[in-house]
Amino acid sequence: MGETTGDDQSAGSIRASDAERDATVERLSRAAGDGRLTLEEFSQRMERATEAKTRADLDRLVADLPVEPAGAVAVPASAPATWHVSPVGGLRISGPWRMERHVIVASIVGGARIDLSEAQLAAPEVTLTKVSLVGGTRITVPPGIRVEASGFSLVGGTRVEGGPEPGPGAPTVYIRAFSLVGGVRIQRSGRHGARGPRGDWRAEREDWRAERRDWRAERRAERRSRRGRPG
């Protein structure tokens, strides 16, 4: 009396395997690539999936997603690039928004400041191309998102802050930045922010100085363009 058998065990109480956790993360990744989850939602669910103890824990993370047919392979559809063109002024986006497959920012003076925390991706892989004379590129991404940067700049390098880098299969944002002045800074957000609970005041100070240099360079170039003088 009071004994339970294997037949009485609920399927939801069965312990989850590593393979099942990985499969759930892949499914969440595809949902983020389809625009069903924001990147912030994907990051939160991915973290819970990696810590899940039972199959029921995993099932709850995908309960509001459509059932995927066995063996189905998503075929990406081609789409034209989204352009943002301005002689003076770049692109600054935060909050809920949708990032298309290819976003192009072109300006004489102006950087790109983009926060992807609440963004929805139009595809598992999207690209940001930024072309300007003066203006850096600053991207904030939640955990679990892969970012790959390339391009050219005479003044300014590429910095990636926070981590770790996600594994294969993660949604990917490609950044292609070309400018004379202005580097690429990628900042990964997290539970305590990209710098951890205490932060790093030296790095914060250097970031502030870099932002000030970019801002001053943008202002000088803007004044020259208004006066009709070449850079």
Short mmCIF file of all heavy atoms in Angstrom, two decimals, residues 11 21 32 38 40 43 61 75-77 84 97 124 135 142 149 157 175 178 224 229-230:
data_model
loop_
_atom_site.label_atom_id
_atom_site.label_comp_id
_atom_site.label_asym_id
_atom_site.label_seq_id
_atom_site.Cartn_x
_atom_site.Cartn_y
_atom_site.Cartn_z
N ALA A 11 4.94 11.38 -17.10
CA ALA A 11 5.94 11.62 -18.14
C ALA A 11 6.66 12.94 -17.91
O ALA A 11 7.83 13.09 -18.22
CB ALA A 11 5.28 11.61 -19.51
N ARG A 21 17.78 18.89 -23.75
CA ARG A 21 18.01 20.32 -23.48
C ARG A 21 18.53 21.02 -24.74
O ARG A 21 18.08 22.12 -25.07
CB ARG A 21 19.01 20.49 -22.32
CG ARG A 21 18.52 19.96 -20.98
CD ARG A 21 19.50 20.29 -19.88
NE ARG A 21 19.13 19.65 -18.62
CZ ARG A 21 19.59 18.48 -18.22
NH1 ARG A 21 20.46 17.81 -18.97
NH2 ARG A 21 19.20 17.97 -17.07
N ALA A 32 13.30 32.30 -32.45
CA ALA A 32 13.83 33.67 -32.45
C ALA A 32 14.13 34.11 -33.87
O ALA A 32 13.87 35.26 -34.25
CB ALA A 32 15.08 33.74 -31.58
N THR A 38 11.42 37.56 -28.99
CA THR A 38 12.45 38.59 -29.01
C THR A 38 13.76 37.96 -28.56
O THR A 38 13.78 36.87 -27.97
CB THR A 38 12.09 39.75 -28.08
OG1 THR A 38 12.11 39.29 -26.71
CG2 THR A 38 10.70 40.30 -28.39
N GLU A 40 15.62 38.94 -26.19
CA GLU A 40 15.61 38.88 -24.73
C GLU A 40 14.83 37.67 -24.24
O GLU A 40 15.28 36.96 -23.32
CB GLU A 40 15.02 40.17 -24.15
CG GLU A 40 15.13 40.26 -22.63
CD GLU A 40 14.63 41.60 -22.13
OE1 GLU A 40 13.60 42.09 -22.62
OE2 GLU A 40 15.27 42.15 -21.23
N SER A 43 16.92 34.59 -24.85
CA SER A 43 18.01 34.45 -23.87
C SER A 43 17.50 33.92 -22.54
O SER A 43 18.12 33.05 -21.93
CB SER A 43 18.70 35.80 -23.67
OG SER A 43 19.31 36.24 -24.86
N LEU A 61 8.68 25.65 -21.76
CA LEU A 61 9.41 26.70 -22.47
C LEU A 61 8.98 26.82 -23.93
O LEU A 61 9.21 27.86 -24.56
CB LEU A 61 10.91 26.43 -22.40
CG LEU A 61 11.53 26.43 -21.01
CD1 LEU A 61 13.00 26.05 -21.07
CD2 LEU A 61 11.35 27.78 -20.34
N VAL A 75 13.41 27.09 -45.06
CA VAL A 75 14.09 27.63 -46.23
C VAL A 75 13.94 29.15 -46.20
O VAL A 75 12.83 29.67 -46.32
CB VAL A 75 13.48 27.08 -47.53
CG1 VAL A 75 14.17 27.70 -48.74
CG2 VAL A 75 13.58 25.56 -47.56
N PRO A 76 15.02 29.88 -46.00
CA PRO A 76 14.92 31.32 -45.89
C PRO A 76 14.48 31.94 -47.21
O PRO A 76 14.92 31.54 -48.28
CB PRO A 76 16.35 31.76 -45.53
CG PRO A 76 17.22 30.66 -46.02
CD PRO A 76 16.40 29.41 -45.88
N ALA A 77 13.59 32.90 -47.12
CA ALA A 77 13.13 33.62 -48.30
C ALA A 77 13.98 34.86 -48.50
O ALA A 77 14.41 35.50 -47.55
CB ALA A 77 11.66 34.02 -48.12
N HIS A 84 18.90 52.96 -44.40
CA HIS A 84 18.77 54.18 -43.60
C HIS A 84 19.87 55.12 -44.09
O HIS A 84 21.05 54.91 -43.81
CB HIS A 84 18.94 53.89 -42.11
CG HIS A 84 17.89 52.99 -41.55
ND1 HIS A 84 16.75 53.47 -40.95
CD2 HIS A 84 17.80 51.63 -41.50
CE1 HIS A 84 16.00 52.45 -40.55
NE2 HIS A 84 16.61 51.33 -40.88
N TRP A 97 11.53 46.20 -31.51
CA TRP A 97 11.62 46.50 -32.93
C TRP A 97 11.99 45.23 -33.67
O TRP A 97 12.39 44.24 -33.07
CB TRP A 97 12.63 47.60 -33.23
CG TRP A 97 14.07 47.25 -32.96
CD1 TRP A 97 14.65 47.05 -31.74
CD2 TRP A 97 15.10 47.05 -33.93
NE1 TRP A 97 15.97 46.74 -31.88
CE2 TRP A 97 16.29 46.73 -33.21
CE3 TRP A 97 15.15 47.11 -35.31
CZ2 TRP A 97 17.50 46.48 -33.84
CZ3 TRP A 97 16.37 46.86 -35.95
CH2 TRP A 97 17.52 46.55 -35.22
N PRO A 124 17.25 33.70 -38.81
CA PRO A 124 18.29 33.26 -37.85
C PRO A 124 19.62 33.97 -38.05
O PRO A 124 20.42 34.05 -37.12
CB PRO A 124 18.42 31.76 -38.15
CG PRO A 124 17.11 31.38 -38.76
CD PRO A 124 16.68 32.57 -39.56
N GLY A 135 31.94 57.94 -37.45
CA GLY A 135 30.84 57.35 -36.69
C GLY A 135 31.11 55.90 -36.35
O GLY A 135 31.42 55.10 -37.23
N PRO A 142 21.75 40.50 -26.00
CA PRO A 142 21.54 39.65 -24.83
C PRO A 142 22.35 38.38 -24.95
O PRO A 142 22.88 38.05 -26.01
CB PRO A 142 20.03 39.37 -24.87
CG PRO A 142 19.67 39.48 -26.33
CD PRO A 142 20.59 40.51 -26.90
N ALA A 149 31.92 40.53 -36.27
CA ALA A 149 32.18 41.87 -36.79
C ALA A 149 33.31 41.84 -37.81
O ALA A 149 34.28 41.09 -37.67
CB ALA A 149 32.54 42.82 -35.64
N GLY A 157 39.04 50.39 -33.14
CA GLY A 157 39.11 48.95 -33.35
C GLY A 157 37.80 48.27 -33.05
O GLY A 157 36.73 48.89 -33.06
N ILE A 175 28.02 42.13 -38.36
CA ILE A 175 28.21 43.57 -38.40
C ILE A 175 29.36 43.87 -39.36
O ILE A 175 30.48 43.38 -39.17
CB ILE A 175 28.54 44.14 -37.01
CG1 ILE A 175 27.39 43.83 -36.03
CG2 ILE A 175 28.79 45.65 -37.09
CD1 ILE A 175 27.71 44.23 -34.62
N PHE A 178 32.33 50.20 -41.94
CA PHE A 178 33.39 50.84 -42.72
C PHE A 178 33.36 52.34 -42.43
O PHE A 178 32.34 53.00 -42.65
CB PHE A 178 33.19 50.59 -44.22
CG PHE A 178 33.09 49.14 -44.58
CD1 PHE A 178 31.87 48.48 -44.59
CD2 PHE A 178 34.23 48.42 -44.90
CE1 PHE A 178 31.78 47.13 -44.93
CE2 PHE A 178 34.15 47.07 -45.24
CZ PHE A 178 32.92 46.43 -45.24
N ARG A 224 31.75 71.30 -40.75
CA ARG A 224 32.41 71.47 -42.04
C ARG A 224 31.43 71.26 -43.19
O ARG A 224 31.46 71.97 -44.19
CB ARG A 224 33.59 70.49 -42.15
CG ARG A 224 34.80 70.89 -41.33
CD ARG A 224 36.02 70.09 -41.77
NE ARG A 224 35.86 68.67 -41.50
CZ ARG A 224 36.27 68.07 -40.39
NH1 ARG A 224 36.86 68.79 -39.43
NH2 ARG A 224 36.11 66.78 -40.21
N ARG A 229 32.64 73.03 -46.78
CA ARG A 229 34.05 72.75 -46.96
C ARG A 229 34.26 71.24 -46.99
O ARG A 229 33.57 70.50 -46.28
CB ARG A 229 34.86 73.34 -45.82
CG ARG A 229 34.78 74.84 -45.78
CD ARG A 229 35.90 75.44 -44.94
NE ARG A 229 36.15 74.70 -43.73
CZ ARG A 229 36.38 75.28 -42.56
NH1 ARG A 229 36.35 76.60 -42.46
NH2 ARG A 229 36.65 74.56 -41.50
N PRO A 230 35.21 70.75 -47.77
CA PRO A 230 35.51 69.32 -47.77
C PRO A 230 36.15 68.90 -46.46
O PRO A 230 36.75 69.71 -45.75
CB PRO A 230 36.49 69.14 -48.94
CG PRO A 230 37.13 70.49 -49.07
CD PRO A 230 36.07 71.50 -48.71
#
